[in-house]
Amino acid sequence: MNRLLFVLLLSPLLGSAQATIDTLHWSTTRRLLLSDFHAPIQSGLGGSEFHYQIGYEVRPTSVWSQPAIDAFCLMFRNLSWVSETARNERTLAYNQVLFDLVEVYTRLMKAKLVALHTDRHFKQQATRIEYLTNAELGAEVNRFRAETGGGDDLPALKRWQLQVAQRLYDTPDLRTTFRSSKIGYGMFVGGGGMLPTGSLTQTFSPAAGVVVGLDIAFQKTVLLLHPTLYNGTLRAGFSHNKQIWEKDMSVTSSLFEVGLGRIIADLPRSRLIPYIGYRLLDLSPRDGNDERYKGLSLYNHAPTVGLIVDIKLGDNTHKPDRSEDSFWFVRTKLSYSPLLAKDTFSGGLLNLQLSLGGFSRIRRVVYKPDHTLIPLPGSMLN
């Protein structure tokens, strides 16, 4: 009645039907129907024929996580048939017990695959496990057929039905799921502008430049490391630490922010992160080779506060079968920090930046045991 996978693969019948073959995966709630047997009835034969396959697939996740392993068992409907004289509930029950038995061995195989170490010998070991599982399954299928007389021995069939149902419960389905890491990381690049405020507007003109950055998240807390490079000019000259800064001098402002933010809203299309931190400003002449400007440098550090709004791009629906939670985003960032120098100038720096970046959290593979209870339509086996 049943043939192992390697027999099926060598069968001329399968070779001619593979273009149109259809399958049915085992299900807890979806029981077999007579309409699932699609193959033409073999003339002169009674009873039924049920063809199955068990197998597995390994999906790589990331270099920091184990691969995701899934196992499956299915029925070849185009190769399975029921004769006209056997189209009854007993035949369905007989084949359903067989299908459930195949599922038990599929789960046993997956448990062994999950327990393997994913090293360079994994494929060789997994192939051996699959071969041995098929051999053990084939032997038990033959015993099932012999003890039940192909389904004709009703007491034996009921005994096997109860036994296999118990084994399905005792052999949990290891459902492959993914659990997001607490750690996430993001990078971005873009441009922005720096606008002086207060009396500082009389000394500095607005400046424009480029920004890059790194975000490191732990759950909803985000460490921000954001360097920025602005180019601008001085509207007025000033003296600072016995150094003379001339009017209309082209200057470069290197600004580095270190902050801690909190993700207060993380929606499928947007993310909101207010933060506080500290910023370092290094102001220097743009033409560092000009002898007049040798040694000119202004360092300033001060607290900073800001708000980040990320607009997520693409389909960011949570997908349980993905090994990463990741998305691209367009970021708008607004921050403010004071800029004070004794007896020279006072005010603040308002920074507005627009950038493009990406964020990702690695997801770890988790196998969740699921004990299965299946219905037993014993009243139909009369």
Side-chain angles (χ1 to χ4, degrees):
M1 177 185 296
N2 303 283
R3 294 171 174 83
L4 299 180
L5 174 59
F6 67 90
V7 177
L8 288 173
L9 294 176
L10 295 176
S11 170
L13 179 58
L14 178 58
S16 63
Q18 61 184 0
T20 57
I21 197 166
D22 65 316
T23 58
L24 176 68
H25 282 260
W26 185 92
S27 170
T28 305
T29 56
R30 207 288 196 182
R31 306 278 85 188
L32 285 176
L33 303 172
L34 288 174
S35 58
D36 291 325
F37 294 79
H38 295 173
I41 300 171
Q42 303 300 308
S43 59
L45 295 178
S48 62
E49 187 78 18
F50 183 90
H51 288 266
Y52 63 83
Q53 175 186 343
I54 68 173
Y56 69 93
E57 61 178 8
V58 180
R59 289 178 293 154
T61 52
S62 69
V63 295
W64 298 282
S65 181
Q66 296 290 320
I69 298 174
D70 279 311
F72 60 86
C73 89
L74 51 84
M75 166 192 183
F76 288 96
R77 292 194 286 193
N78 274 28
L79 302 178
S80 304
W81 53 267
V82 176
S83 69
E84 290 295 339
T85 58
R87 301 183 69 82
N88 52 54
E89 294 298 331
R90 182 182 298 189
T91 300
L92 276 181
Y94 171 78
N95 285 284
Q96 186 63 65
V97 172
L98 176 56
F99 207 2
D100 293 342
L101 183 61
V102 176
E103 172 64 15
V104 169
Y105 276 86
T106 303
R107 296 181 182 187
L108 292 172
M109 180 179 68
K110 180 173 181 178
K112 294 176 183 178
L113 293 173
V114 169
L116 286 180
H117 295 292
T118 52
D119 54 22
R120 59 190 181 91
H121 300 295
F122 176 84
K123 185 175 181 180
Q124 178 182 357
Q125 293 172 326
T127 300
R128 182 172 181 273
I129 288 174
E130 183 183 21
Y131 176 82
L132 292 177
T133 302
N134 270 300
E136 293 168 1
L137 172 58
E140 186 152 12
V141 165
N142 289 335
R143 185 162 65 89
F144 167 68
R145 293 171 57 194
E147 291 186 5
T148 61
D152 293 336
D153 189 333
L154 184 57
L157 179 57
K158 287 184 176 181
R159 186 173 63 252
W160 272 87
Q161 187 181 56
L162 292 172
Q163 174 189 325
V164 173
Q166 184 64 47
R167 290 172 65 182
L168 270 177
Y169 181 81
D170 294 338
T171 310
D173 181 16
L174 299 180
R175 295 190 179 276
T176 306
T177 60
F178 294 89
R179 181 176 299 166
S180 292
S181 169
K182 296 179 180 179
I183 304 297
Y185 58 91
M187 297 185 67
F188 63 90
V189 61
M194 182 174 67
L195 180 67
T197 63
S199 62
L200 199 62
T201 58
Q202 301 174 9
T203 306
F204 293 92
S205 65
V210 295
V211 56
V212 296
L214 173 67
D215 301 337
I216 302 175
F218 179 78
Q219 294 182 339
K220 291 185 177 295
T221 300
V222 186
L223 173 64
L224 311 172
L225 304 172
H226 297 175
T228 310
L229 185 65
Y230 291 127
N231 290 321
T233 58
L234 298 180
R235 285 179 169 174
F238 64 91
S239 175
H240 180 72
N241 290 340
K242 298 180 181 180
Q243 292 180 330
I244 304 300
W245 297 75
E246 299 179 354
K247 179 183 178 181
D248 297 326
M249 179 189 296
S250 297
V251 293
T252 295
S253 304
S254 300
L255 191 146
F256 183 72
E257 283 187 332
V258 178
L260 280 178
R262 182 73 176 176
I263 304 174
I264 62 174
D266 195 356
L267 306 174
R269 291 297 180 184
S270 62
R271 188 171 64 161
L272 188 64
I273 310 174
Y275 72 93
I276 59 173
Y278 219 72
R279 68 108 180 99
L280 173 66
L281 173 67
D282 178 10
L283 185 69
S284 60
R286 195 183 310 171
D287 188 358
N289 295 323
D290 194 318
E291 292 294 332
R292 296 174 300 169
Y293 306 144
K294 288 293 186 180
L296 279 182
S297 183
L298 186 155
Y299 291 96
N300 181 268
H301 54 87
T304 183
V305 295
L307 180 66
I308 293 173
V309 179
D310 291 336
I311 304 300
K312 300 179 182 179
L313 305 177
D315 180 12
N316 300 303
T317 305
H318 183 82
K319 298 179 177 63
D321 61 340
R322 282 185 53 177
S323 60
E324 290 186 351
D325 279 332
S326 59
F327 56 85
W328 294 98
F329 60 79
V330 174
R331 168 168 293 182
T332 302
K333 173 186 167 185
L334 180 65
S335 64
Y336 175 82
S337 62
L339 180 58
L340 306 174
K342 296 179 180 179
D343 304 324
T344 304
F345 47 74
S346 64
L349 297 176
L350 190 66
N351 293 279
L352 179 63
Q353 300 167 356
L354 186 67
S355 55
L356 176 67
F359 182 84
S360 178
R361 290 184 190 268
I362 300 300
R363 302 174 75 187
R364 186 165 56 90
V365 179
V366 178
Y367 297 100
K368 182 179 179 181
D370 183 14
H371 292 274
T372 303
L373 286 173
I374 60 171
L376 292 178
S379 61
M380 298 181 181
L381 297 181
N382 299 317

